[in-house]
Amino acid sequence: METRKYRIAAGIYLICIGLVYGTVSGPVELLPVIADALENNLEKIRTWRGSAEYESYHFVDLGKDNYSNIVIDYEESSKITFYVNQDKNFIRNSSVTVRTEKQHNPESLSSVSRTESVLDKDKIYLVFFPFQEDPNTSEPRRLMIMNHEEGAIVQVWIGSVVFNPRGILQEMISVLPQRFRSIYQSISEGTYQPSFGEVAVSREGDLITVYRALKDVNGTFGLIEEWYVFDTSIGFNMVSCKMTNALQKETWQVSYELFKDVYLPTAITYFREDHANGKKIFKSNITIKTEMLNEPAEESELIISPGKMGLRKGDYIVDHTK
């Protein structure tokens, strides 16, 4: 996902960045408190079942400068049911997606796809249904079995083949707990250097804002700025985030509900501008409804079989793992 590429790049540049600021201000002692709260909330999520609605819009700029002719390249909307079992490294999805091509499709015709997918440890099982809405069509269905890098379960995002809301939550906080603890440790030990960048922590009511600024001396990313807002009234969870540099802009907005002593996201808005790849813009909205959290797994939910995934006699199975 592009988000992870951005953050990895920012992390790499920490070792070769010269800062014009290098100051520290505000109640920085809140940084490890936030770090602990983010990790504790995520680790409480062991099993999770629910449904989600996802919308995404992919824009391109047909003009030469300053986003003079922005159009929608294509848009997608999905209705998804999901089951996540973190301890078993298991995710099951059922989804229906409508994709509408805009730029090269004057009539805005849409295609409908339905998939059943399972991620079980290091394998992905994916059933493609015919591109029709008629569930009784005789057109063959296809089950593909593929290897999946072990450990990547928490990194799967819409745009891949499995929807993982716990992975999305982890993607949002990313390396923040480790980074916040490291920053606070160096400040408290008196080893914080100007080359580490500017850090400013402020609090207004329930909201805590953490601001960081770095300047890339190589000139590729320019000034890298990050703003994170956490709400103490909902367990110090992140409610908004903005990251900018000379090539990209990225924002998150998140709403939560308290469900069995765990704060779960109910709505997520994500936005990205990418100046490095032809002035592309991406926006997505996800709404999540939780049905079950942290209940023991039912054996039927962990069964993987062609019949349970919707295959019939005469359908195709292609195993890429052999």
Side-chain angles (χ1 to χ4, degrees), residues 5-6 8-10 12-14 16-18 214-225 244-249 273-277:
K5 292 179 182 177
Y6 169 87
I8 290 175
I12 292 173
Y13 271 99
L14 280 172
C16 59
I17 279 179
L214 325 163
K215 188 172 182 182
D216 173 17
V217 295
N218 294 325
T220 303
F221 289 94
L223 180 63
I224 301 171
E225 294 182 283
T244 65
N245 59 48
L247 299 179
Q248 294 169 308
K249 175 182 177 181
E273 288 183 15
D274 190 345
H275 302 261
N277 297 312

Side-chain angles (χ1 to χ4, degrees), residues 29-46:
E29 66 275 7
L30 291 172
L31 293 176
V33 177
I34 296 170
D36 290 346
L38 293 176
E39 287 186 339
N40 290 341
N41 190 69
L42 181 67
E43 285 304 308
K44 287 180 181 179
I45 303 172
R46 310 318 300 171

Side-chain angles (χ1 to χ4, degrees), residues 20-212:
V20 293
Y21 302 104
T23 60
V24 175
S25 63
V28 294
E29 66 275 7
L30 291 172
L31 293 176
V33 177
I34 296 170
D36 290 346
L38 293 176
E39 287 186 339
N40 290 341
N41 190 69
L42 181 67
E43 285 304 308
K44 287 180 181 179
I45 303 172
R46 310 318 300 171
T47 61
W48 189 1
R49 186 195 311 119
S51 60
E53 294 188 5
Y54 169 75
E55 296 179 340
S56 67
Y57 305 88
H58 302 251
F59 299 83
V60 293
D61 184 10
L62 301 182
K64 295 182 178 180
D65 300 297
N66 301 322
Y67 294 96
S68 58
N69 189 12
I70 297 175
V71 298
I72 297 177
D73 189 12
Y74 66 92
E75 60 186 44
E76 290 182 335
S77 63
S78 301
K79 292 186 177 181
I80 307 163
T81 59
F82 65 86
Y83 170 75
V84 177
N85 189 314
Q86 181 67 12
D87 297 322
K88 299 287 186 180
N89 279 356
F90 184 93
I91 305 172
R92 183 186 295 276
N93 287 174
S94 177
S95 63
V96 176
T97 300
V98 179
R99 178 179 172 123
T100 305
E101 301 286 346
K102 294 287 190 176
Q103 182 181 343
H104 304 292
N105 182 7
E107 297 181 0
S108 295
L109 298 177
S110 299
S111 62
V112 180
S113 61
R114 178 185 163 206
T115 59
E116 298 283 337
S117 56
V118 170
L119 191 155
D120 183 28
K121 300 180 179 65
D122 59 351
K123 289 186 178 181
I124 293 176
Y125 301 79
L126 180 63
V127 175
F128 296 95
F129 290 79
F131 287 86
Q132 304 180 32
E133 293 188 71
D134 181 6
N136 299 314
T137 178
S138 59
E139 185 177 342
R141 302 168 182 179
R142 294 173 293 139
L143 168 61
M144 294 180 62
I145 306 174
M146 300 167 284
N147 288 317
H148 186 75
E149 182 179 342
E150 191 171 3
I153 185 172
V154 296
Q155 301 175 17
V156 180
W157 172 259
I158 281 289
S160 183
V161 293
V162 179
F163 174 79
N164 179 6
R166 189 185 187 279
I168 295 173
L169 190 58
Q170 178 158 343
E171 182 74 17
M172 287 190 299
I173 67 174
S174 189
V175 298
L176 291 183
Q178 178 183 356
R179 182 183 294 173
F180 283 3
R181 292 191 186 103
S182 177
I183 291 173
Y184 179 70
Q185 181 178 356
S186 62
I187 293 173
S188 60
E189 294 176 351
T191 59
Y192 194 83
Q193 302 294 322
S195 59
F196 296 168
E198 178 183 5
V199 176
V201 180
S202 60
R203 180 168 184 172
E204 184 174 347
D206 293 329
L207 299 182
I208 299 171
T209 300
V210 179
Y211 170 76
R212 299 184 69 240

